[in-house]
């Protein structure tokens, strides 16, 4: 099993916390947040990780080097920020498998990765059931589990949000004319029908540290080793 972790974000909303480091290196206790993603990937059976890096990438590279927790690491380095789509397109040139998991470097979604299946699709997305939110858009599925609609962000009582984990085919971008810099989320919303994109729904633990309140919540959970975080069992 192989994964790409998108680590190029600037972390603008966390600037008061991050100061002089990239967002995946946000401190949680005495460890960077990215450590917990590696622990999760190890627990899921992933053997090789490609880190898609950009902003102050040397700080990530110097900390994790070429191996961490027994996982092999390769670095896809953007000379300039390429957006999530451009970063993924570049990182795929370094992968070795036909199917690759893709994760965000600022999100934990504690799902069983092996439940994501491509079948005849180019992409399978992990969705999270969520109540009373306005920070995320919603995804709607048809009766067979294929994506049929993306909804814009707005106050929502209950819905399915994109959990930020995907299983993608190595040739997901084949046949599309794309610039070097683009948003993967925009690409997906425009082309989900061509990709025959499908999704699986989960209710597992989810947190996105992109805003200070959720970052502080994760730090407090780590301090108490909250039982919801199964990946903390990995030493």
């Amino acid at each position: 099993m192989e994964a790409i972790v998108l680590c190029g974000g600037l972390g603008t909303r966390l600037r008061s916390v991050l100061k002089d480091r990239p967002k995946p290196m946000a401190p949680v206790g005495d460890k960077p947040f990215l450590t917990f993603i590696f622990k999760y990937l190890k627990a899921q059976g992933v053997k090789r990780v490609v880190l898609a890096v950009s902003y102050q990438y040397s700080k990530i590279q110097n900390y994790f080097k070429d191996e961490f927790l027994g996982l092999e690491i390769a670095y896809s380095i953007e000379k300039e920020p390429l957006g999530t789509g451009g970063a993924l397109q570049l990182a795929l040139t370094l992968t070795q498998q036909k199917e690759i998991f893709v994760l965000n470097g600022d999100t934990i979604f504690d799902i069983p990765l092996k439940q994501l299946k491509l079948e005849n699709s180019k992409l399978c997305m992990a969705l999270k059931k969520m109540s009373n939110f306005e920070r995320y858009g919603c995804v709607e599925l048809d009766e067979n589990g294929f994506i049929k609609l993306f909804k814009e962000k707005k106050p929502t009582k209950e819905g399915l949000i994109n959990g930020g984990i995907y299983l993608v085919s190595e040739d997901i971008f084949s046949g599309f004319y794309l610039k070097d810099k683009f948003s993967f989320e925009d690409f997906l919303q425009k082309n989900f029908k061509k990709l025959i994109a499908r999704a699986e729904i989960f209710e597992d633990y989810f947190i996105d540290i992109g805003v200070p309140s959720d970052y502080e919540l994760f730090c407090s959970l780590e301090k108490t080793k909250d039982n919801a975080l199964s990946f903390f069992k990995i030493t």
Side-chain angles (χ1 to χ4, degrees), residues 147-166:
I147 297 172
K148 70 174 184 178
L149 183 65
F150 285 90
K151 291 185 175 180
E152 298 294 326
K153 298 176 184 179
K154 67 176 183 178
T156 302
K157 186 175 182 180
E158 189 172 75
L160 300 173
I161 70 163
N162 179 351
I165 296 182
Y166 313 89

PDB file of all heavy atoms in Angstrom, residues 147-166:
ATOM      1  N   ILE A 147     -20.971   9.510  -6.829  1.00  0.00           N
ATOM      2  CA  ILE A 147     -21.193  10.923  -6.538  1.00  0.00           C
ATOM      3  C   ILE A 147     -22.116  11.532  -7.592  1.00  0.00           C
ATOM      4  O   ILE A 147     -21.906  11.357  -8.783  1.00  0.00           O
ATOM      5  CB  ILE A 147     -19.853  11.679  -6.501  1.00  0.00           C
ATOM      6  CG1 ILE A 147     -18.978  11.142  -5.354  1.00  0.00           C
ATOM      7  CG2 ILE A 147     -20.073  13.185  -6.326  1.00  0.00           C
ATOM      8  CD1 ILE A 147     -17.565  11.682  -5.342  1.00  0.00           C
ATOM      9  N   LYS A 148     -23.135  12.248  -7.137  1.00  0.00           N
ATOM     10  CA  LYS A 148     -24.056  12.887  -8.084  1.00  0.00           C
ATOM     11  C   LYS A 148     -24.108  14.402  -7.950  1.00  0.00           C
ATOM     12  O   LYS A 148     -24.591  15.095  -8.847  1.00  0.00           O
ATOM     13  CB  LYS A 148     -25.462  12.309  -7.953  1.00  0.00           C
ATOM     14  CG  LYS A 148     -26.200  12.661  -6.670  1.00  0.00           C
ATOM     15  CD  LYS A 148     -27.639  12.142  -6.733  1.00  0.00           C
ATOM     16  CE  LYS A 148     -28.443  12.554  -5.507  1.00  0.00           C
ATOM     17  NZ  LYS A 148     -29.848  12.078  -5.591  1.00  0.00           N
ATOM     18  N   LEU A 149     -23.565  14.948  -6.825  1.00  0.00           N
ATOM     19  CA  LEU A 149     -23.680  16.387  -6.634  1.00  0.00           C
ATOM     20  C   LEU A 149     -22.738  16.866  -5.530  1.00  0.00           C
ATOM     21  O   LEU A 149     -22.544  16.188  -4.526  1.00  0.00           O
ATOM     22  CB  LEU A 149     -25.124  16.740  -6.239  1.00  0.00           C
ATOM     23  CG  LEU A 149     -25.479  18.215  -6.069  1.00  0.00           C
ATOM     24  CD1 LEU A 149     -25.363  18.952  -7.398  1.00  0.00           C
ATOM     25  CD2 LEU A 149     -26.890  18.364  -5.487  1.00  0.00           C
ATOM     26  N   PHE A 150     -22.143  18.027  -5.770  1.00  0.00           N
ATOM     27  CA  PHE A 150     -21.400  18.737  -4.740  1.00  0.00           C
ATOM     28  C   PHE A 150     -22.178  20.003  -4.394  1.00  0.00           C
ATOM     29  O   PHE A 150     -22.597  20.740  -5.280  1.00  0.00           O
ATOM     30  CB  PHE A 150     -20.002  19.129  -5.226  1.00  0.00           C
ATOM     31  CG  PHE A 150     -19.028  17.988  -5.291  1.00  0.00           C
ATOM     32  CD1 PHE A 150     -18.907  17.234  -6.453  1.00  0.00           C
ATOM     33  CD2 PHE A 150     -18.237  17.667  -4.200  1.00  0.00           C
ATOM     34  CE1 PHE A 150     -18.007  16.181  -6.527  1.00  0.00           C
ATOM     35  CE2 PHE A 150     -17.337  16.622  -4.266  1.00  0.00           C
ATOM     36  CZ  PHE A 150     -17.218  15.874  -5.420  1.00  0.00           C
ATOM     37  N   LYS A 151     -22.353  20.285  -3.112  1.00  0.00           N
ATOM     38  CA  LYS A 151     -23.048  21.489  -2.663  1.00  0.00           C
ATOM     39  C   LYS A 151     -22.070  22.460  -2.027  1.00  0.00           C
ATOM     40  O   LYS A 151     -21.109  22.053  -1.360  1.00  0.00           O
ATOM     41  CB  LYS A 151     -24.139  21.127  -1.648  1.00  0.00           C
ATOM     42  CG  LYS A 151     -25.316  20.377  -2.251  1.00  0.00           C
ATOM     43  CD  LYS A 151     -26.407  20.166  -1.204  1.00  0.00           C
ATOM     44  CE  LYS A 151     -27.648  19.534  -1.809  1.00  0.00           C
ATOM     45  NZ  LYS A 151     -28.708  19.331  -0.782  1.00  0.00           N
ATOM     46  N   GLU A 152     -22.302  23.741  -2.230  1.00  0.00           N
ATOM     47  CA  GLU A 152     -21.424  24.777  -1.684  1.00  0.00           C
ATOM     48  C   GLU A 152     -21.521  24.827  -0.155  1.00  0.00           C
ATOM     49  O   GLU A 152     -22.479  24.341   0.450  1.00  0.00           O
ATOM     50  CB  GLU A 152     -21.804  26.140  -2.263  1.00  0.00           C
ATOM     51  CG  GLU A 152     -21.650  26.246  -3.771  1.00  0.00           C
ATOM     52  CD  GLU A 152     -20.200  26.139  -4.205  1.00  0.00           C
ATOM     53  OE1 GLU A 152     -19.316  26.614  -3.442  1.00  0.00           O
ATOM     54  OE2 GLU A 152     -19.934  25.579  -5.280  1.00  0.00           O
ATOM     55  N   LYS A 153     -20.530  25.450   0.469  1.00  0.00           N
ATOM     56  CA  LYS A 153     -20.526  25.626   1.919  1.00  0.00           C
ATOM     57  C   LYS A 153     -21.695  26.520   2.339  1.00  0.00           C
ATOM     58  O   LYS A 153     -21.929  27.576   1.743  1.00  0.00           O
ATOM     59  CB  LYS A 153     -19.218  26.277   2.376  1.00  0.00           C
ATOM     60  CG  LYS A 153     -17.978  25.466   2.075  1.00  0.00           C
ATOM     61  CD  LYS A 153     -16.732  26.230   2.486  1.00  0.00           C
ATOM     62  CE  LYS A 153     -15.474  25.484   2.114  1.00  0.00           C
ATOM     63  NZ  LYS A 153     -14.241  26.225   2.486  1.00  0.00           N
ATOM     64  N   LYS A 154     -22.409  26.092   3.351  1.00  0.00           N
ATOM     65  CA  LYS A 154     -23.476  26.888   3.950  1.00  0.00           C
ATOM     66  C   LYS A 154     -23.874  26.212   5.260  1.00  0.00           C
ATOM     67  O   LYS A 154     -23.542  25.030   5.485  1.00  0.00           O
ATOM     68  CB  LYS A 154     -24.681  26.999   3.014  1.00  0.00           C
ATOM     69  CG  LYS A 154     -25.415  25.679   2.778  1.00  0.00           C
ATOM     70  CD  LYS A 154     -26.652  25.890   1.924  1.00  0.00           C
ATOM     71  CE  LYS A 154     -27.425  24.580   1.758  1.00  0.00           C
ATOM     72  NZ  LYS A 154     -28.662  24.769   0.969  1.00  0.00           N
ATOM     73  N   PRO A 155     -24.553  26.933   6.156  1.00  0.00           N
ATOM     74  CA  PRO A 155     -24.999  26.282   7.395  1.00  0.00           C
ATOM     75  C   PRO A 155     -25.862  25.059   7.084  1.00  0.00           C
ATOM     76  O   PRO A 155     -26.836  25.141   6.334  1.00  0.00           O
ATOM     77  CB  PRO A 155     -25.809  27.384   8.088  1.00  0.00           C
ATOM     78  CG  PRO A 155     -25.243  28.654   7.555  1.00  0.00           C
ATOM     79  CD  PRO A 155     -24.881  28.364   6.128  1.00  0.00           C
ATOM     80  N   THR A 156     -25.482  23.917   7.630  1.00  0.00           N
ATOM     81  CA  THR A 156     -26.145  22.649   7.295  1.00  0.00           C
ATOM     82  C   THR A 156     -26.431  21.871   8.574  1.00  0.00           C
ATOM     83  O   THR A 156     -25.560  21.730   9.440  1.00  0.00           O
ATOM     84  CB  THR A 156     -25.236  21.796   6.372  1.00  0.00           C
ATOM     85  OG1 THR A 156     -24.933  22.551   5.194  1.00  0.00           O
ATOM     86  CG2 THR A 156     -25.915  20.500   5.975  1.00  0.00           C
ATOM     87  N   LYS A 157     -27.645  21.369   8.690  1.00  0.00           N
ATOM     88  CA  LYS A 157     -28.039  20.606   9.875  1.00  0.00           C
ATOM     89  C   LYS A 157     -27.431  19.218   9.879  1.00  0.00           C
ATOM     90  O   LYS A 157     -26.959  18.726  10.905  1.00  0.00           O
ATOM     91  CB  LYS A 157     -29.566  20.516   9.953  1.00  0.00           C
ATOM     92  CG  LYS A 157     -30.072  19.861  11.222  1.00  0.00           C
ATOM     93  CD  LYS A 157     -31.588  19.912  11.309  1.00  0.00           C
ATOM     94  CE  LYS A 157     -32.078  19.278  12.621  1.00  0.00           C
ATOM     95  NZ  LYS A 157     -33.557  19.316  12.716  1.00  0.00           N
ATOM     96  N   GLU A 158     -27.409  18.560   8.708  1.00  0.00           N
ATOM     97  CA  GLU A 158     -26.853  17.214   8.605  1.00  0.00           C
ATOM     98  C   GLU A 158     -26.451  16.942   7.170  1.00  0.00           C
ATOM     99  O   GLU A 158     -27.169  17.309   6.241  1.00  0.00           O
ATOM    100  CB  GLU A 158     -27.867  16.167   9.082  1.00  0.00           C
ATOM    101  CG  GLU A 158     -27.295  14.775   9.207  1.00  0.00           C
ATOM    102  CD  GLU A 158     -28.279  13.812   9.862  1.00  0.00           C
ATOM    103  OE1 GLU A 158     -29.250  13.408   9.189  1.00  0.00           O
ATOM    104  OE2 GLU A 158     -28.091  13.499  11.051  1.00  0.00           O
ATOM    105  N   GLY A 159     -25.292  16.320   6.977  1.00  0.00           N
ATOM    106  CA  GLY A 159     -24.861  16.027   5.614  1.00  0.00           C
ATOM    107  C   GLY A 159     -23.587  15.215   5.592  1.00  0.00           C
ATOM    108  O   GLY A 159     -23.039  14.841   6.633  1.00  0.00           O
ATOM    109  N   LEU A 160     -23.117  14.941   4.376  1.00  0.00           N
ATOM    110  CA  LEU A 160     -21.885  14.191   4.154  1.00  0.00           C
ATOM    111  C   LEU A 160     -20.824  15.149   3.643  1.00  0.00           C
ATOM    112  O   LEU A 160     -21.039  15.846   2.647  1.00  0.00           O
ATOM    113  CB  LEU A 160     -22.117  13.080   3.123  1.00  0.00           C
ATOM    114  CG  LEU A 160     -23.172  12.032   3.460  1.00  0.00           C
ATOM    115  CD1 LEU A 160     -23.405  11.116   2.263  1.00  0.00           C
ATOM    116  CD2 LEU A 160     -22.743  11.206   4.678  1.00  0.00           C
ATOM    117  N   ILE A 161     -19.687  15.195   4.333  1.00  0.00           N
ATOM    118  CA  ILE A 161     -18.608  16.074   3.892  1.00  0.00           C
ATOM    119  C   ILE A 161     -17.439  15.252   3.343  1.00  0.00           C
ATOM    120  O   ILE A 161     -17.288  14.070   3.662  1.00  0.00           O
ATOM    121  CB  ILE A 161     -18.109  16.995   5.024  1.00  0.00           C
ATOM    122  CG1 ILE A 161     -17.357  16.176   6.090  1.00  0.00           C
ATOM    123  CG2 ILE A 161     -19.253  17.775   5.643  1.00  0.00           C
ATOM    124  CD1 ILE A 161     -16.504  17.017   7.006  1.00  0.00           C
ATOM    125  N   ASN A 162     -16.654  15.884   2.503  1.00  0.00           N
ATOM    126  CA  ASN A 162     -15.436  15.270   2.005  1.00  0.00           C
ATOM    127  C   ASN A 162     -14.440  15.154   3.157  1.00  0.00           C
ATOM    128  O   ASN A 162     -14.017  16.149   3.729  1.00  0.00           O
ATOM    129  CB  ASN A 162     -14.864  16.149   0.884  1.00  0.00           C
ATOM    130  CG  ASN A 162     -13.569  15.617   0.287  1.00  0.00           C
ATOM    131  OD1 ASN A 162     -12.982  14.668   0.794  1.00  0.00           O
ATOM    132  ND2 ASN A 162     -13.134  16.239  -0.784  1.00  0.00           N
ATOM    133  N   GLY A 163     -14.062  13.917   3.502  1.00  0.00           N
ATOM    134  CA  GLY A 163     -13.168  13.690   4.626  1.00  0.00           C
ATOM    135  C   GLY A 163     -11.700  13.857   4.294  1.00  0.00           C
ATOM    136  O   GLY A 163     -10.844  13.690   5.165  1.00  0.00           O
ATOM    137  N   GLY A 164     -11.386  14.169   3.026  1.00  0.00           N
ATOM    138  CA  GLY A 164      -9.999  14.451   2.665  1.00  0.00           C
ATOM    139  C   GLY A 164      -9.127  13.230   2.457  1.00  0.00           C
ATOM    140  O   GLY A 164      -7.906  13.343   2.425  1.00  0.00           O
ATOM    141  N   ILE A 165      -9.728  12.047   2.304  1.00  0.00           N
ATOM    142  CA  ILE A 165      -8.974  10.835   1.968  1.00  0.00           C
ATOM    143  C   ILE A 165      -9.572  10.255   0.693  1.00  0.00           C
ATOM    144  O   ILE A 165     -10.795  10.129   0.565  1.00  0.00           O
ATOM    145  CB  ILE A 165      -9.018   9.791   3.092  1.00  0.00           C
ATOM    146  CG1 ILE A 165      -8.326  10.314   4.350  1.00  0.00           C
ATOM    147  CG2 ILE A 165      -8.352   8.487   2.647  1.00  0.00           C
ATOM    148  CD1 ILE A 165      -8.279   9.316   5.495  1.00  0.00           C
ATOM    149  N   TYR A 166      -8.697   9.903  -0.243  1.00  0.00           N
ATOM    150  CA  TYR A 166      -9.119   9.340  -1.520  1.00  0.00           C
ATOM    151  C   TYR A 166      -8.283   8.105  -1.846  1.00  0.00           C
ATOM    152  O   TYR A 166      -7.133   7.986  -1.417  1.00  0.00           O
ATOM    153  CB  TYR A 166      -8.900  10.335  -2.667  1.00  0.00           C
ATOM    154  CG  TYR A 166      -9.378  11.743  -2.413  1.00  0.00           C
ATOM    155  CD1 TYR A 166      -8.531  12.684  -1.820  1.00  0.00           C
ATOM    156  CD2 TYR A 166     -10.661  12.156  -2.778  1.00  0.00           C
ATOM    157  CE1 TYR A 166      -8.948  13.990  -1.599  1.00  0.00           C
ATOM    158  CE2 TYR A 166     -11.085  13.455  -2.566  1.00  0.00           C
ATOM    159  CZ  TYR A 166     -10.226  14.369  -1.969  1.00  0.00           C
ATOM    160  OH  TYR A 166     -10.638  15.650  -1.756  1.00  0.00           O
TER     161      TYR A 166
END
